[in-house]
Structure formats: C-alpha cells, structure tokens
DNA sequence: ACGACGGATAATGTATACATTGCTGATCGA
DNA sequence: TCGATCAGCAATGTATACATTATCCGTCGT
C-alpha cells in the first residue's frame, strides 16, 4: 500500500503545464480573486509564449475559475458571500448524493485510505503546513465521494470545492480552525466504517457548515 | 412586453463566433459524439485561422462538451448510458432545489413567459420544427429555474442539459414523443401557478423521467 | 476651469510560419 | 511471409509578427 513518491511527469504540452500552475496559484489565492491575469507577463515568467497561456485560461474560463471579458482579458473569478453560500448549498445536495450512492460500496482499502488521509491532515495541521493540509483534507473527502463511482458527480463537487478554495486559504491559516478539523474527520471515518448513511451525511453537513460559518466570519463577506 | 426581434450582434471576437457555432453543431449532433473536430478544416470553413478555433475548443473542453487528448486533438464527448443516467439523476436533485428556492418568487411575468414558451413548444411540435422545439422547451424550463435567482445553480443545470442534448436530437424527431410534451408543460405551468412546490417537483420528475426512458429506448444504450 | 478631442501606449486578438508528434505504409532484411 | 525500420504525411503544438482595441493623458478650445 505504500505509495511510491509520485513519478515526475513532465506535462506533454506547455498548455498543460501552464494550466497546472495557473490553477495552483488561483486556488492558493496567490492570484487573488478579482485580479487580472496578464498574459504577457505570465507567459514570460513561465518561459512560454502567450498562446499556451491563453489556452490554459480558456479552460479555466470554461470551468468558471476565471472570467473572460472580450478585449479586456481574464480575471480570477470573484464570489460574493451569497454566491459562496450557494456553492455550499449545492455541495450539500451533491455530497449527500455521493454518500448515499457510495457508502455501501466503500471498500476496506477506501476506509484505510480515509484513515491515512485523516492522519495526514492532522500532522499537517500540527506542523502548520497549510498547503499539505488542504491537499490531504481534499483527498480525505474525495476518497469518500469517489466510492460512489460517479465521475460526473465527483467532478461537479470538485469544481464547487475549487470555487470556494481561494477564500479558504486564510481560514486554515488560523490555529483554532486547524484544531477542530481532525477530530471531525475521525468521527466521519468512524461513521463511514459503521456504514450509516444518515450519520455520515449529518456529520458532513455539520463539518461543512462549520467551514462555511468560519468563512463568513473571516472574509470581506458582502456582495 | 413584446420582445423586439433580437438585435443582431456580431460577436466581438472570432473565438466567440466560433464558440457559438461549435456549440450549436455539437448540441444538434451535427457533430456527433465521438467524432474529432479537425481544427484546420473547421477553421477554413468558418474563414478564420486555427487559433480562435482552438480557443473555442478549450472553452468547450472546460465545460465538458469536448474531450482533449494531447497530441490528438478534440473529440465530441461521448456519454455511456450509465453516464446519461447520472446526468438525469443530478438534474433531478438540482432542478428540485431550483424549484424549492424559486417557485415562491416566480413573478406573474415569469408565469406568462412560461405560458408563452409552452405555446411556442406546441406550435413548433406541430410544425415539426425540431430546432425551434428544443429552444422553446429549454426556455420554458429555464424560466422556472431562473426564478431561483441562483446563477451558479442554473448554470450547472444548463451544463447538464447540454451533456444530454446531442442524444435527444433523435428523440424529438419522433412524432409521438413530440405529442406528449406540450400537455405536460401545461400541467407544469398550472402547478407553478398554484405555487405548489411538491406538485411541480413531482411533475418535473415525471416529465424528465419520460424523456430519459425514451432516450434509453432509442439509443445505442450501452457502455 | 471644464470638457472634448486625439495621439501614444499597452494590452488583447488573430494570422502566419515553423516545430513537433503520431501514424501510415512501403521498403528492407531475415 | 513476417517483422521491423524508416521515410513521408498529416495533424497538432508553439512562437512570432502584425492588427485591433481600450485606456491614459496631455492639449486644445471654449
């Protein structure tokens, strides 16, 4: 079960490389919501021409991570408080569905993976490694969702996570917030092991709700 | 209230024009699921270079309407029967939500619009104008959804409609299928007028279910 | 002082040319 | 006859050059 360190894969095309880097910067709010992505500058920084940059931006525009204004360029999507609420509400619906469909089919390997990711979250939280925390947190939850076997559903949920991600960078920076997450994960994993759909859904709702409320407190939470 | 005939707007950029045309061809199955979109040929046909074609394709890839294989190009997305089922299931969840949120806020103008679109659907069905039927049918349903005021929700539902659209071109070509749709719309509009969420949701489920089952009958419905 | 016009600048949008990759099919060898 | 190698082709991927558009700001006129 030990994962070999992920093999280094050079993306086959420049646009893919740009896409990965752009997405990373947006999700970590390194490129903050609202700011324009200057093609020329970004291209030069990555050592490619503007073409692959534009193509990567188009992908992100299709996903909703950036907005395109003709003759004005690409801007990291901003979400109002209301829109973030909407995102969380839709997540509630879709994640509940994923649990209903998938929990019965969750394998022992899947449960073990959840435990492993819960460990990773906890240790990352202790060390204050926000990036690792976010990554592990995501893997923890998506192990559960992916048990549903529904690719489209999982992809939608993933996009919804992405939408809120830039706003959570600051959330996990806070020690108190980091502290409560691991124990909630333990409860979730335990409920999953018992195979109780209602419990898992309830815990998930609570977990998500706490994250959402924390967001409302921290952020410039208006329109 | 009379809509002026929609003003002709030349898209500000070539890519937008290409995007519209490409999407149209995919949704009408003029470009059938699975086929490759040859950039050179398509560009020449539209009288532009390959660049805007590629950029439009990237958008569609981000939306999931085409798949991108590095060094191989872009292919209209194919969906297995299972995947289409998944799409309908997610639609059920999200459309119900839209109705719950929006029905109370549906204005008289909105109700009138639904009636008007129902008329349009019926007359298009009688004349056998499949394209007009599909367009009006879509407007009918989305008038209802948009009453929710939730942009993201509506956009997601819209993408789910798009995913199944290529497979429904043949569905509406059948006279019998065209016949049942208008009466169901009347019932829906009536229930909406009464403001009854459970009834609207129930009718919507039935309506959608019929469409889905019809799809299963007609299509190469395997994996 | 205020507003309008206009040119300079800087960004985006597009075409063209070139590089690279993948495939096909023919040729060569055993 | 079978298989492998390689040349040619056809498609995609990328860079560069050019066209177009928006914006900024100074000047001019009133």
């Amino acid at each position: 079960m030990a994962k070999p360190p992920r093999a280094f894969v050079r993306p086959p095309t420049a646009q893919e490389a740009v896409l990965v880097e752009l997405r990373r910067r947006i999700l970590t709010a390194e490129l903050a919501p609202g700011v324009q992505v200057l093609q020329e500058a970004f291209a030069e920084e990555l050592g490619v021409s503007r073409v692959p940059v534009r193509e990567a931006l188009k992908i992100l525009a299709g996903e909703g991570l950036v907005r395109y204004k003709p003759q004005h360029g690409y801007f990291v999507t901003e979400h109002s408080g209301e829109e973030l609420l909407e995102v969380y509400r839709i997540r509630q619906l879709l994640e509940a569905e994923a649990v209903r469909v998938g929990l019965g089919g969750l394998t022992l390997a899947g449960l073990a993976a959840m435990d492993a990711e819960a460990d990773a979250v906890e240790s990352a939280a202790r060390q204050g490694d926000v990036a690792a925390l976010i990554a592990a947190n995501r893997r923890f939850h998506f192990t559960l969702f992916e048990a549903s076997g529904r690719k489209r559903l999982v992809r939608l949920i993933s996009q919804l996570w992405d939408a809120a991600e830039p706003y959570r960078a600051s959330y996990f920076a806070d020690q108190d917030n980091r502290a409560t997450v691991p124990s909630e994960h333990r409860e979730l994993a335990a409920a999953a092991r018992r195979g109780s759909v209602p419990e898992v859904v309830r815990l998930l709702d609570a977990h998500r709700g706490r994250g959402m409320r924390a967001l409302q407190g921290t952020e410039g939470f208006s329109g």
Side-chain angles (χ1 to χ4, degrees), chain A:
Chain A
M1 282 285 292
K3 268 185 288 193
R6 168 175 2 193
F8 174 76
V9 287
R10 182 174 65 110
T13 63
Q15 28 179 305
E16 300 266 316
V18 173
L19 179 63
V20 168
E21 177 61 13
L22 252 177
R23 186 179 272 125
R24 189 189 68 74
R25 292 205 192 180
I26 292 173
L27 295 187
T28 62
E30 213 168 303
L31 278 170
V35 312
Q36 180 174 13
V37 180
L38 292 183
Q39 305 169 11
E40 179 94 46
F42 199 75
E44 189 174 359
E45 183 180 343
L46 298 191
V48 297
S49 82
R50 271 172 52 220
V51 175
V53 172
R54 289 175 61 88
E55 303 210 339
L57 282 166
K58 283 290 181 203
I59 289 256
L60 296 176
E63 291 178 2
L65 240 64
V66 302
R67 280 193 181 342
Y68 169 61
K69 274 182 63 180
Q71 309 290 5
H72 288 262
Y74 300 82
F75 302 80
V76 180
T77 304
E78 289 181 287
H79 292 292
S80 66
E82 243 181 45
E83 287 170 317
L84 287 177
L85 237 62
E86 190 187 340
V87 166
Y88 274 86
R89 173 57 182 149
I90 302 176
R91 270 184 55 189
Q92 183 180 21
L93 294 171
L94 297 187
E95 291 178 5
E97 171 76 358
V99 169
R100 278 193 299 269
V101 175
L103 194 57
L106 195 60
T107 60
L108 284 176
L111 286 164
M114 285 181 67
D115 287 337
E117 299 301 352
D119 288 343
V121 167
E122 190 163 4
S123 88
R126 243 197 293 272
Q127 295 177 242
D129 184 342
V130 176
L133 195 167
I134 287 178
N137 177 57
R138 196 158 173 147
R139 284 197 303 271
F140 172 83
H141 286 279
F142 276 80
T143 300
L144 181 55
F145 302 149
E146 277 163 6
S148 70
R150 301 217 184 163
K151 298 217 182 111
R152 182 130 204 154
L153 182 63
V154 172
R155 203 180 108 208
L156 285 178
I157 295 173
S158 179
Q159 283 185 14
L160 293 168
W161 277 59
D162 284 349
E165 197 81 58
Y167 297 91
R168 303 198 301 165
S170 54
Y171 169 59
F172 279 124
D174 185 70
Q175 175 64 39
D176 292 342
N177 291 328
R178 285 206 299 269
T180 61
V181 169
S183 69
E184 294 186 326
H185 283 187
R186 300 299 178 193
E187 285 189 75
L188 264 168
R193 208 171 282 279
R194 288 194 299 275
S196 164
V197 170
E199 274 194 73
V200 170
V201 169
R202 185 178 56 75
L203 288 169
L204 213 49
D205 283 352
H207 185 50
R208 191 187 309 109
R210 194 176 334 276
M212 196 187 65
R213 277 190 299 280
L215 209 62
Q216 291 178 0
T218 336
E219 285 303 317
F221 198 76
S222 61

